Amino acid sequence: MRQDMLNRVICETLKLRAYTATTLSAVSEITSIHGTSPNGTVALGRTITAAALLSATLKPDSNQSLLLKIEGSGPIREIHAQADARGNIRGYAANPSPDLDEDIGVISFSRTIGAGFLTVRKDIGLGEPYSSITPLHAGEVAGDLAYYLTASEQIPSAVIIALTLDANGAVASSGGILIQTFPDTPDKSIGRVEQSMASLGKDLGASLREGTDITSVLGDILGGEPFTVIQSRPIRAGCRCSREVIRSVLLNIHREELDDMLLRDRGAEVVCTFCTKKYRFDEKDLETLIKEKSGGMAIKPSERERQDIH
């Protein structure tokens, strides 16, 4: 299986910027961790790719990160995907096996998620993260991400997100393309891209499944105009949780709750929602936490730490 990659691209003749992401390995690993059904795999996998594409707008190799959350009235209820500027991606679905009586070939994302909202929260190191909420507009991850970027960030955008499954429900291809304008991008460039996307001879998922390089598909969308890949970097499934992070969160639980854990359970076990890793704190660990808490004010965990155990 090839290494997942995120590319940043510039097309000077059309005055457009673009990002491509191949996410087969990351999506396969994350959906396997959570044991998703075919409907859950498609919904979670596409959201992971959307987060990967959006992470290309973060400052490379910085501590910046973002959360993409889709919540709705459908059986999957919520999907969370987080990506950072170092290429790490993680995600989960509230209900990884939504009960839809459909064959793999007729999976419907819009029915899986239902009516609801898309939340994008960016942590760019300027205090509290910035959050924006938009209603689900298109019933597909690509359309709703494009709507968010155009409506909330005021950047006209075109998005393609693809994921295909094999006959056994395993991920066969996964990736996406995001194209955005600059302030001086002419309207004719936007029109050319829209026309090219509408007339693609083969969808992105099928092309990736056949081994076609994603930048070749982007070249077709750009109508053969020359473009430059200004940066390529690997992306991977990776969780930010750690024992230290979990410990800092436990330290901020009310003293009475810690006492109850010690008395009733003789310890505590915390499971990371994203990677399902378990962290065990025995009696001695809890006694130490209680002593620390009794000795002074606990340090408030950062937004990033709170997200790590959700």
Side-chain angles (χ1 to χ4, degrees):
M1 192 177 292
R2 292 182 180 179
Q3 169 72 62
D4 292 340
M5 297 295 294
L6 182 66
N7 296 315
R8 290 180 171 86
V9 176
I10 291 290
C11 179
E12 295 183 356
T13 55
L14 295 179
K15 293 186 181 298
L16 293 170
R17 56 185 170 182
Y19 311 101
T20 69
T22 50
T23 55
L24 176 59
S25 295
V27 167
S28 297
E29 181 174 342
I30 294 170
T31 54
S32 177
I33 287 172
H34 295 287
T36 52
S37 67
N39 279 287
T41 297
V42 170
L44 176 57
R46 289 179 179 174
T47 307
I48 289 168
T49 298
L53 286 171
L54 204 55
S55 74
T57 64
L58 302 174
K59 183 179 179 181
D61 299 317
S62 68
N63 291 324
Q64 295 182 359
S65 63
L66 62 86
L67 164 70
L68 196 67
K69 179 174 73 171
I70 300 176
E71 53 189 331
S73 58
I76 203 167
R77 300 196 303 273
E78 288 188 8
I79 309 169
H80 294 243
Q82 289 185 355
D84 64 29
R86 303 181 189 278
N88 298 302
I89 307 171
R90 61 182 185 170
Y92 75 90
N95 176 15
S97 300
D99 185 16
L100 293 177
D101 297 325
E102 295 180 340
D103 294 330
I104 292 177
V106 289
I107 288 173
S108 170
F109 178 85
S110 60
R111 283 188 59 196
T112 302
I113 192 63
F117 297 91
L118 167 67
T119 299
V120 177
R121 183 166 61 221
K122 289 186 177 181
D123 182 356
I124 58 174
L126 300 177
E128 286 297 312
Y130 165 79
S131 294
S132 178
I133 302 175
T134 55
L136 296 179
H137 179 75
E140 285 292 338
V141 179
D144 287 315
L145 180 59
Y147 178 77
Y148 156 77
L149 290 167
T150 302
S152 294
E153 297 196 2
Q154 304 298 307
I155 305 174
S157 304
V159 184
I160 302 176
I161 294 177
L163 188 151
T164 64
L165 304 177
D166 64 20
N168 297 316
V171 183
S173 66
S174 182
I177 297 173
L178 167 60
I179 302 173
Q180 295 187 310
T181 64
F182 290 107
D184 60 344
T185 299
D187 290 340
K188 64 179 181 180
S189 293
I190 300 173
R192 285 186 60 178
V193 167
E194 290 175 342
Q195 184 177 1
S196 296
M197 290 177 65
S199 61
L200 278 177
K202 188 177 296 183
D203 65 59
L204 178 60
S207 295
L208 293 177
R209 191 168 182 170
E210 294 174 0
T212 304
D213 189 280
I214 196 168
T215 56
S216 296
V217 180
L218 175 62
D220 292 339
I221 294 173
L222 297 177
E225 295 290 342
F227 62 85
T228 303
V229 178
I230 58 175
Q231 185 188 48
S232 295
R233 63 173 170 83
I235 50 180
R236 68 199 72 81
C239 194
R240 297 197 303 265
C241 70
S242 68
R243 186 174 179 83
E244 291 72 23
V245 168
I246 304 301
R247 189 181 188 279
S248 71
V249 175
L250 285 175
L251 193 57
N252 282 272
I253 292 177
H254 290 299
R255 166 67 187 272
E256 293 76 11
E257 293 184 51
L258 291 175
D259 288 336
D260 189 62
M261 291 179 190
L262 181 60
L263 179 64
R264 291 175 177 270
D265 304 318
R266 301 298 180 185
E269 184 175 84
V270 182
V271 180
C272 176
T273 310
F274 286 94
C275 69
T276 70
K277 184 176 180 179
K278 297 178 180 179
Y279 294 89
R280 177 67 185 175
F281 294 82
D282 59 22
E283 290 183 68
K284 186 177 179 180
D285 294 325
L286 287 185
E287 288 172 354
T288 301
L289 285 169
I290 291 170
K291 288 180 181 178
E292 288 185 34
K293 194 169 184 67
S294 300
M297 291 292 291
I299 298 173
K300 183 179 180 181
S302 66
E303 178 68 23
R304 183 173 298 145
E305 289 173 333
R306 291 196 296 272
Q307 291 175 9
D308 278 332
I309 64 167
H310 200 267

